[in-house]
Amino acid sequence: MVLNELTDLDLWLQVKQDNGVAFKTLFDRYWERLYVYAFNRLKSTADAQDVVQEVMISVWSRRASLDIETTLTAYLHTAVQYEVLNHFSRAAKITGRSLEYGKNILPELTSYITPLHLKELEALAENEITRLPEKMQQVYRLRQEQHLSVKEISGLLNISEQTVRNQLNSSYQKLKKHLKEAILVAIFLHGN
């Protein structure tokens, strides 16, 4: 049997049976396209390589229990998307709130903004945060400023984890909507 000629499904079945050569074939089949996707978001060769390697290591280590309900392509692409977001989240915790506003809220636009304008946008973001409903603002601040997990916030506020997730998603959507216009104004009025 030539592994390179197997369909993704057949190759995955071989991987699930602890076939290391099949996994190497799978890795080689998907490495480049996953790397390109990660690089286009992260703009860093090393970070993109790390993201793809993390995903592939996770796939291998969870192979016996991992049930892929979509196509392998869709699963791996989604896994890389989540790992890119995790990368930004870890970076935000290390570098603070500037990266949160700069990368989590509108990553596609912030590369055009000077540090001075980013500070202005942070002030605008803070103003928008204070306009969130009280409970939503509380959940948002616990997550973004104190870096508490969903579970920790749930326990602290005595609300369900799903409510915490819903509040976070709503706050991100509201902030993104309100800040998008401000970022466009900063880009086009202030220039580079």
Side-chain angles (χ1 to χ4, degrees):
M1 159 176 44
V2 178
L3 291 174
N4 239 1
E5 296 174 4
L6 290 179
T7 65
D8 283 352
L9 179 59
D10 290 333
L11 193 58
W12 177 244
L13 292 174
Q14 290 290 317
V15 170
K16 284 183 76 73
Q17 295 173 6
D18 299 330
N19 184 331
V21 178
F23 180 74
K24 171 78 168 95
T25 303
L26 177 81
F27 185 90
D28 292 342
R29 185 177 289 181
Y30 282 97
W31 169 260
E32 186 174 354
R33 67 182 108 169
L34 295 175
Y35 166 78
V36 168
Y37 176 83
F39 179 81
N40 286 337
R41 268 97 197 130
L42 298 169
K43 307 299 185 209
S44 163
T45 299
D47 290 343
Q49 288 173 346
D50 287 347
V51 161
V52 175
Q53 287 173 351
E54 285 297 319
V55 166
M56 297 308 275
I57 288 168
S58 174
V59 166
W60 176 253
S61 64
R62 296 174 33 231
R63 68 192 174 280
S65 61
L66 185 60
D67 291 319
I68 298 176
E69 296 175 6
T70 61
T71 66
L72 190 59
T73 302
Y75 177 84
L76 291 172
H77 183 77
T78 301
V80 168
Q81 282 179 314
Y82 282 118
E83 190 60 33
V84 165
L85 291 174
N86 286 337
H87 176 84
F88 282 137
S89 177
R90 287 188 299 270
K93 288 178 183 176
I94 293 168
T95 61
R97 293 174 71 188
S98 293
L99 191 58
E100 171 208 338
Y101 297 127
K103 295 294 184 188
N104 285 348
I105 295 175
L106 287 173
E108 67 273 16
L109 297 177
T110 56
S111 61
Y112 300 102
I113 299 174
T114 66
L116 176 62
H117 297 131
L118 188 56
K119 288 204 178 296
E120 293 171 1
L121 288 171
E122 286 176 7
L124 285 170
E126 180 59 28
N127 185 47
E128 290 299 328
I129 292 166
T130 62
R131 295 176 61 198
L132 292 172
E134 186 177 336
K135 186 65 88 174
M136 187 180 293
Q137 182 182 154
Q138 189 178 19
V139 168
Y140 178 87
R141 289 188 187 281
L142 287 170
R143 179 70 174 169
Q144 296 300 327
E145 295 172 10
Q146 296 183 27
H147 310 296
L148 297 181
S149 70
V150 168
K151 186 174 186 174
E152 291 169 327
I153 296 169
S154 170
L156 186 65
L157 300 180
N158 199 25
I159 55 177
S160 74
E161 289 183 26
Q162 187 57 49
T163 300
V164 172
R165 286 186 199 93
N166 292 344
Q167 292 284 333
L168 287 171
N169 286 335
S170 294
S171 66
Y172 294 151
Q173 291 304 315
K174 286 176 186 272
L175 291 172
K176 192 172 195 176
K177 179 181 174 191
H178 293 295
L179 292 176
K180 189 171 197 172
E181 186 176 327
I183 287 177
L184 288 171
V185 168
I187 291 168
F188 294 114
L189 291 183
H190 299 294
N192 288 331

